[in-house]
Amino acid sequence: DVGASREVVVNGETGWLIPSGSVSAVADAIGKAAALKDEDYQRYSRNCFRHLRENLEKEKVCQRLIEIFKEIA
């Protein structure tokens, strides 16, 4: 859970947010990922692509940046 990870990862929907510096949390998340049933893996994959399309496409990110720059100008 560092940097912009919350913009990319929706905890429990597209992956898992892990506290910075927590080795045990990393191990737990790897265990969860390795144990996913194929249907759950497919659901996470679909959720990831949907989230990226809806929130992180280049045009949308650029438009948000333009709005921010207009607000602070």
Side-chain angles (χ1 to χ4, degrees):
D1 191 7
V2 297
S5 59
R6 287 182 178 270
E7 292 181 25
V8 179
V9 179
V10 178
N11 196 41
E13 186 178 324
T14 63
W16 298 276
L17 288 170
I18 301 164
S20 177
S22 176
V23 175
S24 63
V26 171
D28 289 344
I30 291 171
K32 287 178 186 177
L36 283 176
K37 296 178 185 172
D38 188 54
E39 62 205 35
D40 294 326
Y41 173 81
Q42 296 298 327
R43 181 175 46 82
Y44 272 91
S45 294
R46 284 191 306 274
N47 290 345
C48 285
F49 283 110
R50 185 188 74 245
H51 179 71
L52 292 173
R53 274 193 315 274
E54 292 174 358
N55 299 288
L56 297 171
E57 284 187 330
K58 179 176 64 173
E59 293 80 13
K60 291 180 182 182
V61 171
C62 288
Q63 185 59 43
R64 275 191 283 180
L65 288 173
I66 289 169
E67 291 168 8
I68 290 169
F69 292 147
K70 284 180 180 179
E71 287 178 16
I72 61 175

